[in-house]
Amino acid sequence: MSTLTLQTTVPEDRNATADLPREVIATVVQWRGRIALFKRSQSVGHERGLWHCITGYLEPNVTPEQQALTELEEEAGLTREDLADFQRGEQLLIPDHKGNPWLVHTFTATTTRRRLTINDEHDAYRWSVPSKISRFSNRVPWLDTVIQAATPDAPRKQQK
């Protein structure tokens, strides 16, 4: 498992068991070699105005795969029929700013549709080639790690 510091605030009553990590899904949406970035709206409780992937809390008695598919439909308007591929990536254990652990189940959803239908959690979305995602300076701090975990075989920008 990889580790990264997550800098966000989360309601205290979410999965309040101190010994267990809070569980979330993070899904990277791909289309023709590009990745969709979603700009969080002012109507959400955290990470407003930051570029993000599709995320959601893992609900009780739901598998991570089921939750990821639910979030894809709610946040991007993508159904299973819109997906050419749906793959599970790595699991990440990420502490938040208070040191509380988060278990992040990552996925990659390859869509056949260029146009997405976003809900009120997002103000906009943009397609970007992976090597240019770093140009989005106002992205969530852990996005790069999630993209790498969800898409380990994707080409990376070469470091000099």
Side-chain angles (χ1 to χ4, degrees):
M1 287 191 192
S2 301
T3 304
L4 174 73
T5 300
L6 177 63
Q7 298 173 358
T8 184
T9 57
V10 178
E12 294 296 322
D13 60 341
R14 281 277 189 197
N15 299 323
T17 306
D19 297 333
L20 300 176
R22 297 173 178 133
E23 291 187 61
V24 294
I25 63 90
T27 303
V28 175
V29 179
Q30 293 184 324
W31 172 77
R32 295 187 178 180
R34 291 173 168 80
I35 292 175
L37 299 179
F38 299 85
K39 189 173 186 182
R40 301 283 286 169
S41 74
Q42 295 302 309
S43 69
V44 295
H46 60 285
E47 298 170 333
R48 294 179 182 131
L50 300 180
W51 293 95
H52 215 281
C53 59
I54 297 294
T55 59
Y57 291 101
L58 184 59
E59 299 293 335
N61 303 315
V62 176
T63 68
E65 291 83 359
Q66 291 169 326
Q67 191 68 51
L69 291 168
T70 297
E71 300 296 339
L72 279 168
E73 188 166 2
E74 289 175 2
E75 296 185 30
L78 294 172
T79 65
R80 188 70 166 118
E81 292 75 34
D82 297 319
L83 303 180
D85 194 22
F86 181 72
Q87 296 290 321
R88 184 180 192 104
E90 294 178 35
Q91 289 183 355
L92 303 174
L93 189 58
I94 302 175
D96 65 17
H97 69 285
K98 293 182 179 179
N100 297 314
W102 289 80
L103 180 60
V104 182
H105 302 272
T106 67
F107 296 90
T108 301
T110 304
T111 182
T112 57
R113 288 182 28 207
R114 178 177 180 252
R115 289 198 180 269
L116 305 177
T117 306
I118 57 175
N119 67 2
D120 66 339
E121 292 184 43
H122 308 288
D123 288 332
Y125 72 93
R126 299 285 181 271
W127 291 105
S128 177
V129 293
S131 64
K132 298 206 174 160
I133 289 175
S134 62
R135 293 183 179 180
F136 290 79
S137 60
N138 58 335
R139 63 193 186 282
V140 295
W142 46 268
L143 181 61
D144 297 345
T145 300
V146 167
I147 290 172
Q148 188 171 3
T151 60
D153 297 329
R156 302 282 175 244
K157 182 178 178 181
Q158 295 297 319
Q159 299 293 324
K160 293 184 179 184

